[in-house]
Amino acid sequence: MRIHLKNSLVVILIIVLISSLYFLSQAVQSAEQFNRIYLWLFGASILAVFILGIVIIQRFVWLFTKRRKNEPGIKLTSRMVKTFVFLSLPPVLAVYLFSTQFLNNYIDSWFDSKTSQALNDSLELGQLFLDVQTTQALTQTKTIAQKLSEIDSPRQAIYLERFLDETRASGLTLISASEKVIEQASIDILDLNPSLPPQSVYRNVRTGNNYARIEPKQGSQLQIRTLVKVDNVLDVANSYRFLQGLFPIKDEYSTLAFNIETASVGYNQQKYQREQLKKTFNIILFLVLMISMLLALVRAFSSARNLVAPVKLLSQATTRIAEGDYSQSIPVSSKDEIGFLVKSFNTMSSQLAASSALAHRAQTDAVSKQWYLENVLSHLSSGVISIDTDFRILMANSAALKILQLSTKDVINQNIKHLNLMNIGLTPFVDLLLTKLNDHSDEWQQETLITENESRKVLVVRGSRIPDYEQDEGGMVVVFDDQTIINQAQRDAAWSEVARRLAHEVKNPLTPIQLSAERLRLRFLDKMPEQDKDILDRSTQTIVSQVENLKTLVNAFSDYAKAPELKREARGLNKLIKEAVDLYFISHAGIDFKLDLLEPEPTMYIDKVRFSQLLNNLIKNSVESAKDNNVSIRIETAINERIDNILVITFSDNGQGFKEKILKHVFEPYETTKVTGSGLGLAIVKKIVEEHGGNIKAYNHVQGAMIEINLPIYQR
Amino acid sequence: MIYKIPTVLLLLLVINSQVLAKNNVITLKTAIQDNSITITPLLSFKSSNQIKEAIDNGTRVQIIAKAQLYEPHTWWFNSEIDNKKTYFEISYFTLSKLYVIKNKETDEQLGFINYEQLWEEFEKLIAFKFNKPQNKNTWARFRIVLDTGALPTVMQLPVLLNSDWDIDTPWFNQKIDIQ
C-alpha cells in the first residue's frame, strides 16, 4: 500500500514536472496565456526538481544504510544503480551540452548586421518624413499663435474656430499660463476634453522653446502635438497663453510609420533580450537535464529494486534454509528467467523439506534406537564398554561402572590406561584389554581377577572387535561379568552336595560301628586278663566317642545340606534373641550378654526354628572362640541408616576374632579357627540369612569378632 | 527559544526591506468631496538605468498602483472596505524619441522627452476615487509594484533576481480623516 502510494506520488510529480516544462517552453515562446504564470511554472519546476532531489537523496541514504547493515541483495542493487546511472548520464549530458551550444549559436544568428541596418534606415527615413510633417505643423501653430497675440485676450477664443479651418489641425486648444484650458476648437465636436501635454512641456515652452512631437494615438494612428507660447502683446501686464495644436497624419503614412516603429522596437527588444533568452533557454535545458538525471536515478533505483527483490528474497530464503528452516516459499512475481529461478527454488526447498523430514524421522529413529540400546545396556547386569583404536573408552554402561567402581567421568572418553590411575586393582583387567587390543583379536573370552577394597572379584571378560565400517576407526566392544557371586554360589552348592553325600554315606555305618564297639566291650571286658582289659576298655571307649564325634559332624553336614523348606511367619526378633540368650545364660553361667534391642521391634518374616539355629550358632561360635570363661557377647538391633526397611543385627564378642587369612572366606564351609569345629557353623548361618533374603558380613573389631546381618523388614 | 530566533530574524528582514526600499510613498493626500474620497500619493520614486535601458530597447514596463481602504483590527486581519488598481504602461516611442506612459484603464497617455521627467510627473497621474466610507476608523494604504508578469517571459526570471529592477514601494498606511 505504502509502496503504491509512493510510486503514485513519484508518477504525479513527474507528470507535473513535464507539464511545467512544456508550459515553460510555451511561455518562453511568448504565448500570452502562459506569460503571466511563467514564474509560477518555473517555481513549480524548481520545487518538483527539489522534491525529486530529496527523493533521490532519501534513496541514497537508504542504500547507504542498507549497505552498512550488509543486507542481502544490497550490493547487487548498488551495482545496478551505478550501471544505470553510468548508462543514462553520458547521453543526457551530451544532449544538454550540444543543445545549449546549438541554441546559443542559433539565437545569435537571428541578429545579423544587415537586418539591423535596414531597420535603422527605415526608422530614420520615417523620422525624416515625420520631421517634415512636424515642422509644417509647428509653423502653422506658430502662425496662428502670432495672429492670436495680436488679438486682445478676451476675443482670442472667438477666433480659434476660424484659425482651425485655416490649418490642417484636428484640434486647437488655448491654454492659460496656469495650464488651464481656456478654449478648444476641434474637428470632432464630441471631443470635449482635449489631451494636454505634461507639465514639463509647459516648462520648456515657457522658456521660449516650442514643442512639436509625433505621438502614438489609438491603434496604429499617429498625431503631431505642438505647443507654443502666445504672448498677449496688447495686454499691458505682458501676460501669455499656450496654444496646443493636434495635427493628424494621414492613415497610409501613419500605418507605415507605425509598422516601422513596431518592427524596429520588436527587433531591438529581441536584440536586447538576447542574453536573457540564452540564459532562460540554458536554465530550462538545465532543468531538463536535472529532471532527466533525477528521473534516470529514480528509474535506476526502481529497476534495481524490482530486479533485486526476488534475488534478495532468494538470498534470505537460502539463509533460512541454511539455518534449517526448509518451509521457504517465494511468491513468483514474473514469468521471466527470474520467475523460473524462483519457481525452481520453491521446488528445491519443498524437496529439501521432504528430505529433511525423512532425515529427521531417520534421526529420531536412530536416537530412539540408541536410547533403547542404552536403556537395554543400562539394565544389563553385565558390564559393557566400547573402546576405539586409540584405547579411548567411548561408551560404558552403568553395570560396567558399578563393577569397576568408577564414575562416568573417570571412564568415558578416557584412555583405558587411565583406569589404572583411578584404581590400581584394575591393572589385570586393563592389561588384558591392552593385550587384546594390540593382538587385534576378533573374539576372545578370558577370566581375570581384580581387587576392590581388599575384596577380590572374578571377572569373565569377553571381547569382540568392531569392524571398521561400524565405527570410524574400528575398536572393540568388551562385555564382562562379575563371577564372584556365581562362583560363590557354585561353591556353596558343591559343598551342599558334599555334605549331603557325606551325611548319607557316613552316617549309616556309624551306628553299627558304635553298637559293635559297645557289644565287644560288654562281651569281652570281664573275660579279658587285667592287662588286656584296660586296652579293650580304652579302645572301645575311643571308638564310641569318635563315632559320637563323627555323628555330630555328619549331623552338621546334614544340616548344611538340608533343603530350605522354610516355615516363615511374621513376628518379632527380640523374643527369639532373648530365648537363645536365656538358654546359654543357664547352661554357661559365666557369659556376659549385653542386649541392645530395638523397641518397638519391627516385624520380620522369618522361620522361627531356622532363625533360632542361626542365633545358637552365632552364640556358640562366640563362646567357643573365647580364651577363657570370661565371655562377653553384645547383641544389637537397629534400622539400617541408608535403607529404611532393613534391620541390622550385630553380634560382637571379646574373643580371638577371625584370622586375617580366613576373614575373606569365613562363611565358606570348612573354614574355622577352632580345633573341634566342623567349619560349617558360619556357613549355615550365611545360608539361613540368604534364605531369608538378607546378607551377612564378618569383621574384626577392637577386641573380638563382629557379625553384621542385614534382613528385610516385613512389609504388610 | 529555538523558535524565537527565526521569528526575530524574519522580523528583522521585513523591517530591513521596508527601510532599505529604494522607492517610498511619502504621504497620501485625501480630498473628500460629497460622497467620494480621492486619494493621491506623494512619492519618492526613482528608476534605475537598467529599467531605462530596457525601455529604450523596446521593453514595455508595466507598473501597478494599488490602493485599498480598510478597517484595521487589533490582533486580527484587517477588514477590506474597497480596493483599486491602476495599470501604467511605460514605453519608448522611437519615431519621436518620446517616453510614453499610458493609463491602461483610461487609455490616456502622456509623452515625455526626458525619462526623468516621466518619473517626476508619475505621481500626478495617479488618483484613486473611492466612495466615502461610513466608518471613521478607516485607513488607506497604497503601494507601487512592478508587474513582473507583464514583462517578456525571458526577462521575468532575471528581473526577479536583479535588485535594479526592484522598484516596488512598501505598503504605506495612513488613517483617513473623515469629517
Side-chain angles (χ1 to χ4, degrees):
Chain A
M1 182 69 189
R2 200 177 154 201
I3 291 167
H4 286 303
L5 187 67
K6 237 174 154 180
N7 289 339
S8 305
L9 279 173
V10 170
V11 169
I12 289 167
L13 194 68
I14 290 166
I15 291 169
V16 168
L17 203 53
I18 291 168
S19 307
S20 300
L21 282 173
Y22 171 73
F23 294 140
L24 269 180
S25 65
Q26 292 293 311
V28 172
Q29 289 165 29
S30 297
E32 282 292 327
Q33 65 270 35
F34 298 118
N35 195 45
R36 278 271 165 201
I37 56 168
Y38 170 76
L39 285 177
W40 290 105
L41 289 173
F42 188 79
S45 303
I46 294 287
L47 185 67
V49 168
F50 180 71
I51 292 169
L52 211 51
I54 287 175
V55 170
I56 296 297
I57 289 168
Q58 182 259 333
R59 296 277 166 98
F60 272 113
V61 169
W62 171 85
L63 192 66
F64 181 71
T65 314
K66 298 288 178 187
R67 270 192 77 94
R68 285 192 68 180
K69 287 181 184 171
N70 205 16
E71 282 205 359
I74 203 66
K75 284 178 183 167
L76 190 57
T77 307
S78 307
R79 208 174 300 149
M80 291 188 79
V81 167
K82 269 186 206 168
T83 310
F84 275 119
V85 169
F86 284 120
L87 279 176
S88 60
L89 278 191
V92 172
L93 275 173
V95 168
Y96 169 72
L97 292 172
F98 280 107
S99 300
T100 48
Q101 198 175 0
F102 172 75
L103 263 174
N104 290 337
N105 293 336
Y106 181 66
I107 289 168
D108 285 337
S109 72
W110 291 353
F111 308 99
D112 62 74
S113 57
K114 287 178 183 172
T115 311
S116 181
Q117 188 60 46
L119 274 172
N120 285 337
D121 291 348
S122 304
L123 191 65
E124 199 173 336
L125 183 66
Q127 279 172 341
L128 287 171
F129 172 74
L130 291 174
D131 281 349
V132 173
Q133 300 286 319
T134 307
T135 309
Q136 287 174 358
L138 183 60
T139 309
Q140 287 183 14
T141 310
K142 279 161 74 176
T143 308
I144 294 167
Q146 182 61 41
K147 288 176 182 174
L148 283 174
S149 64
E150 292 166 358
I151 301 169
D152 55 340
S153 303
R155 290 193 301 140
Q156 283 176 346
I158 300 168
Y159 286 91
L160 203 58
E161 286 286 346
R162 188 190 299 172
F163 293 143
L164 180 65
D165 294 337
E166 292 175 0
T167 64
R168 28 180 215 95
S170 62
L172 290 172
T173 309
L174 194 61
I175 303 163
S176 69
S178 60
E179 299 167 16
K180 300 277 191 262
V181 175
I182 297 168
E183 184 56 51
Q184 185 209 358
S186 174
I187 292 171
D188 185 2
I189 53 169
L190 296 173
D191 185 14
L192 302 174
N193 292 313
S195 67
L196 297 173
Q199 288 177 342
S200 57
V201 174
Y202 290 108
R203 283 200 301 273
N204 192 26
V205 172
R206 275 192 192 101
T207 59
N209 296 320
N210 295 317
Y211 175 82
R213 279 282 195 279
I214 303 281
E215 284 182 355
K217 219 179 161 188
Q218 287 180 343
S220 59
Q221 289 180 330
L222 301 174
Q223 68 176 4
I224 300 167
R225 185 190 294 273
T226 57
L227 188 70
V228 295
K229 195 177 173 187
V230 180
D231 292 315
N232 295 322
V233 292
L234 299 177
D235 199 342
V236 184
N238 286 332
S239 64
Y240 66 91
R241 286 177 175 174
F242 297 105
L243 177 65
Q244 175 185 261
L246 294 173
F247 296 84
I249 296 174
K250 284 184 182 174
D251 283 350
E252 58 267 33
Y253 299 146
S254 190
T255 305
L256 285 171
F258 188 80
N259 288 345
I260 292 168
E261 163 76 18
T262 307
S264 173
V265 165
Y267 183 80
N268 285 338
Q269 189 180 353
Q270 287 205 339
K271 201 172 176 184
Y272 170 71
Q273 291 169 359
R274 179 168 55 179
E275 291 307 316
Q276 279 101 336
L277 196 62
K278 283 182 188 173
K279 280 180 191 169
T280 306
F281 273 121
N282 285 340
I283 288 170
I284 289 173
L285 280 173
F286 182 71
L287 274 177
V288 171
L289 169 75
M290 288 300 294
I291 288 161
S292 305
M293 280 170 55
L294 294 176
L295 285 179
L297 279 171
V298 168
R299 186 62 201 153
F301 271 104
S302 175
S303 301
R305 285 169 78 171
N306 287 341
L307 281 171
V308 171
V311 178
K312 182 181 173 185
L313 287 174
L314 276 171
S315 171
Q316 286 171 340
T318 310
T319 309
R320 285 197 206 104
I321 283 176
E323 288 166 356
D325 180 7
Y326 300 107
S327 61
Q328 297 299 316
S329 181
I330 301 169
V332 182
S333 55
S334 63
K335 292 180 179 175
D336 54 10
E337 286 76 5
I338 296 282
F340 177 73
L341 181 65
V342 171
K343 264 185 196 173
S344 304
F345 177 85
N346 287 343
T347 309
M348 183 198 75
S349 66
S350 60
Q351 285 174 352
L352 269 175
S355 304
S356 168
L358 283 173
H360 182 71
R361 198 180 301 162
Q363 189 183 3
T364 308
D365 289 348
V367 169
S368 176
K369 281 176 183 171
Q370 188 183 356
W371 177 84
Y372 177 75
L373 183 64
E374 283 176 3
N375 204 18
V376 168
L377 285 174
S378 68
H379 284 84
L380 280 178
S381 59
S382 302
V384 181
I385 60 174
S386 68
I387 307 161
D388 65 10
T389 49
D390 295 330
F391 305 158
R392 194 160 52 96
I393 299 168
L394 300 178
M395 186 275 293
N397 70 343
S398 54
L401 300 174
K402 190 177 173 184
I403 292 168
L404 300 176
Q405 292 288 307
L406 293 172
S407 64
T408 307
K409 67 175 182 179
D410 295 333
V411 176
I412 302 296
N413 286 327
Q414 300 287 352
N415 192 296
I416 52 172
K417 292 174 185 171
H418 181 73
L419 303 182
N420 267 345
L421 301 175
M422 301 307 298
N423 185 356
I424 193 71
L426 298 176
T427 304
F429 177 68
V430 173
D431 289 344
L432 174 64
L433 295 183
L434 286 172
T435 306
K436 295 301 178 185
L437 279 165
N438 289 325
D439 288 351
H440 300 288
S441 309
D442 284 339
E443 284 190 6
W444 51 270
Q445 179 171 341
Q446 194 167 325
E447 257 188 34
T448 187
L449 194 67
I450 60 169
T451 51
E452 185 69 44
N453 294 333
E454 299 181 351
S455 68
R456 289 178 300 172
K457 280 185 182 174
V458 178
L459 298 185
V460 176
V461 187
R462 293 176 295 279
S464 179
R465 196 167 68 83
I466 302 169
D468 288 353
Y469 60 85
E470 287 184 11
Q471 199 176 60
D472 287 347
E473 298 172 356
M476 181 182 281
V477 62
V478 178
V479 181
F480 50 95
D481 291 293
D482 183 359
Q483 283 292 108
T484 315
I485 295 168
I486 296 167
N487 287 353
Q488 184 64 46
Q490 285 173 346
R491 269 204 300 276
D492 288 350
W495 273 112
S496 292
E497 184 62 23
V498 168
R500 191 181 63 77
R501 288 196 178 188
L502 194 66
H504 181 74
E505 297 296 334
V506 175
K507 193 175 180 180
N508 290 340
L510 284 180
T511 303
I513 290 170
Q514 187 182 9
L515 289 174
S516 296
E518 284 175 351
R519 194 175 169 183
L520 280 173
R521 189 172 180 272
L522 286 172
R523 179 94 181 242
F524 296 106
L525 187 63
D526 295 336
K527 295 175 183 175
M528 295 289 284
E530 202 55 37
Q531 64 268 25
D532 295 330
K533 187 179 178 179
D534 185 45
I535 292 167
L536 182 64
D537 183 37
R538 281 191 284 145
S539 297
T540 54
Q541 284 294 343
T542 301
I543 289 167
V544 169
S545 66
Q546 288 303 316
V547 167
E548 282 296 328
N549 286 339
L550 278 171
K551 275 185 176 177
T552 305
L553 190 62
V554 166
N555 284 337
F557 274 104
S558 177
D559 286 344
Y560 181 77
K562 198 179 282 178
E565 294 173 4
L566 299 178
K567 293 175 183 175
R568 297 172 79 170
E569 58 183 313
R571 59 166 298 147
L573 263 181
N574 289 0
K575 191 180 175 186
L576 279 178
I577 293 169
K578 284 172 183 170
E579 280 175 1
V581 168
D582 286 345
L583 188 65
Y584 269 86
F585 189 70
I586 295 165
S587 60
H588 300 75
I591 301 173
D592 177 21
F593 282 102
K594 290 177 182 170
L595 301 181
D596 186 3
L597 304 178
L598 193 65
E599 287 290 351
E601 63 177 335
T603 305
M604 310 299 287
Y605 191 58
I606 52 174
D607 183 330
K608 184 178 75 175
V609 177
R610 294 285 283 169
F611 222 84
S612 294
Q613 188 183 359
L614 177 149
L615 293 169
N616 284 332
N617 280 1
L618 288 174
I619 294 169
K620 185 183 170 193
N621 240 27
S622 296
V623 171
E624 287 174 355
S625 69
K627 293 174 185 174
D628 46 33
N629 291 332
N630 188 17
V631 181
S632 176
I633 297 172
R634 184 180 180 83
I635 303 173
E636 290 177 64
T637 58
I639 299 296
N640 191 305
E641 287 175 0
R642 288 175 292 175
I643 309 167
D644 285 345
N645 60 345
I646 296 292
L647 182 72
V648 182
I649 309 158
T650 314
F651 284 81
S652 53
D653 60 36
N654 60 345
Q656 296 172 2
F658 301 110
K659 288 181 180 173
E660 283 299 323
K661 66 176 182 182
I662 67 157
L663 187 57
K664 291 169 188 171
H665 315 285
V666 73
F667 294 109
E668 289 180 14
Y670 222 67
E671 289 289 345
T672 181
T673 54
K674 296 176 288 187
V675 179
T676 58
S678 64
L680 288 173
L682 285 176
I684 291 167
V685 165
K686 179 173 179 275
K687 193 175 180 186
I688 293 169
V689 168
E690 286 175 349
E691 284 167 4
H692 284 83
N695 61 60
I696 187 166
K697 292 172 186 171
Y699 306 99
N700 281 324
H701 66 109
V702 181
Q703 185 184 0
M706 187 165 78
I707 299 291
E708 182 186 300
I709 298 168
N710 286 278
L711 277 178
I713 296 169
Y714 179 60
Q715 303 290 321
R716 293 176 193 280
Chain B
M1 183 62 192
I2 197 157
Y3 298 105
K4 287 180 181 173
I5 294 168
T7 312
V8 170
L9 286 173
L10 193 66
L11 280 172
L12 282 172
L13 191 68
V14 170
I15 293 164
N16 198 36
S17 67
Q18 303 262 333
V19 171
L20 296 177
K22 290 173 188 170
N23 297 319
N24 283 295
V25 179
I26 297 166
T27 187
L28 294 176
K29 292 178 192 170
T30 53
I32 299 171
Q33 199 174 23
D34 298 332
N35 286 327
S36 66
I37 181 168
T38 306
I39 295 169
T40 52
L42 188 62
L43 301 174
S44 164
F45 203 90
K46 283 181 181 174
S47 171
S48 66
N49 287 332
Q50 289 245 344
I51 297 174
K52 183 177 179 297
E53 190 187 350
I55 292 169
D56 288 346
N57 282 289
T59 306
R60 291 171 182 272
V61 174
Q62 191 161 290
I63 286 171
I64 310 169
K66 295 179 180 178
Q68 187 186 36
L69 294 184
Y70 67 94
E71 184 189 346
H73 297 292
T74 311
W75 301 110
W76 195 240
F77 298 105
N78 301 330
S79 303
E80 184 182 281
I81 297 168
D82 199 358
N83 78 78
K84 286 185 189 300
K85 287 180 187 173
T86 305
Y87 291 85
F88 293 99
E89 186 186 81
I90 299 149
S91 59
Y92 185 64
F93 189 64
T94 323
L95 284 170
S96 60
K97 297 183 175 59
L98 272 184
Y99 291 95
V100 179
I101 182 163
K102 180 181 177 183
N103 185 329
K104 296 198 82 173
E105 311 299 317
T106 60
D107 274 348
E108 287 175 9
Q109 56 186 17
L110 284 175
F112 294 87
I113 300 166
N114 193 304
Y115 181 71
E116 283 72 30
Q117 285 172 1
L118 185 147
W119 293 114
E120 282 168 15
E121 294 191 34
F122 174 56
E123 65 185 20
K124 294 185 181 69
L125 305 175
I126 305 166
F128 289 104
K129 193 172 184 180
F130 291 100
N131 289 330
K132 186 181 173 185
Q134 302 301 313
N135 195 332
K136 289 190 174 179
N137 185 26
T138 300
W139 286 63
R141 64 178 195 161
F142 177 84
R143 77 177 302 200
I144 299 284
V145 292
L146 173 72
D147 188 1
T148 320
L151 285 167
T153 313
V154 293
M155 288 183 68
Q156 288 184 16
L157 192 63
V159 160
L160 200 68
L161 306 170
N162 192 339
S163 63
D164 286 329
W165 283 83
D166 184 15
I167 57 169
D168 295 357
T169 67
W171 280 106
F172 180 81
N173 299 273
Q174 185 176 300
K175 192 171 188 296
I176 298 174
D177 187 15
I178 297 169
Q179 298 298 325

